[in-house]
């Protein structure tokens, strides 16, 4: 019996398009998707239409939930907010622990969020590079053990890499571009990467991959 795990990064973010947004934002470390990022998320959802995904897990940051929401509407699935997929809580990027919307506030905006789900892994600020990779790897292993159907993880650049490494041996280079797709297929204890950061479903892609 095989299991497929899809791992996606969020779409383009507003502060990548408009860096000045950060200076006046109420929650500067939790930017939303940009207009083209919403379009990318819709294209990602269309790409996944027809796949046998049964569960969608998303980082609690706004841009990942917005991305997951576009997919969830197309696949008619709820979103499970999983803190283990959170952005790298890098003190060089964030001077303080990032303020985010509460799950209750998120549910008002995105009714498809599963209110009965509790995060299996918690992220703690601040994090080193080693810590975020360990945390996201643990999350991928935990979720695939508990949820044995095909699943989708929606995260960030670092969590796409870490979740992939958590299942596939050898720490392969992962092309974690915006709204990319990694496809991992598990055969028992062995996982094979069939897609590595695929962006063929996108009408617009970035020339240089950036994480922050």
């Amino acid at each position: 019996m095989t299991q497929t795990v899809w791992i996606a990064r969020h779409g383009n973010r507003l502060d990548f398009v408009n860096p000045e947004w950060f200076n006046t934002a109420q929650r500067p470390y939790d930017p939303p998707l940009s207009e083209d990022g919403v379009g990318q998320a819709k294209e990602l959802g269309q790409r996944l239409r027809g796949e046998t995904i049964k569960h969608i897990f998303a980082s609690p940051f706004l841009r990942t939930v917005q991305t997951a929401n576009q997919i969830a509407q197309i696949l008619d699935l709820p979103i499970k907010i999983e803190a283990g997929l959170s952005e790298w809580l890098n003190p060089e990027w964030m001077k303080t622990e990032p303020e985010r919307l509460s799950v209750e506030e998120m549910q008002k905006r995105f009714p498809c969020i599963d209110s009965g789900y509790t995060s299996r892994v918690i992220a703690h600020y601040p994090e080193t590079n080693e810590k975020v990779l360990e945390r996201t790897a643990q999350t991928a292993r935990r979720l695939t053990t508990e949820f044995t159907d095909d699943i989708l993880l929606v995260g960030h650049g670092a969590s796409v890499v870490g979740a992939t490494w958590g299942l596939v041996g050898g720490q392969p280079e992962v092309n974690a571009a915006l709204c990319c797709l990694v496809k991992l297929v598990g055969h028992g204890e062995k996982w094979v990467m069939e897609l590595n950061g695929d962006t063929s479903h996108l009408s617009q892609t970035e020339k240089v991959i950036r994480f922050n």
Side-chain angles (χ1 to χ4, degrees), residues 124-145:
H124 298 283
Y125 177 91
E127 286 183 315
T128 61
N129 182 52
E130 292 76 16
K131 186 64 179 176
V132 67
L133 293 172
E134 175 189 319
R135 184 246 299 165
T136 50
Q138 178 192 0
T139 302
R141 290 191 293 265
R142 177 90 180 256
L143 294 179
T144 52
T145 299

Side-chain angles (χ1 to χ4, degrees), residues 78-81 103-108 110-120:
I79 300 170
K80 295 175 172 64
I81 301 296
V103 175
E104 292 74 23
E105 290 171 311
M106 283 280 200
Q107 284 175 312
K108 291 177 183 176
F110 310 104
C112 62
I113 288 176
D114 181 352
S115 60
Y117 180 79
T118 303
S119 288
R120 289 356 188 208

Side-chain angles (χ1 to χ4, degrees), residues 29-41:
Y29 300 129
D30 190 22
L33 293 178
S34 59
E35 184 177 348
D36 64 313
V38 173
Q40 288 177 322

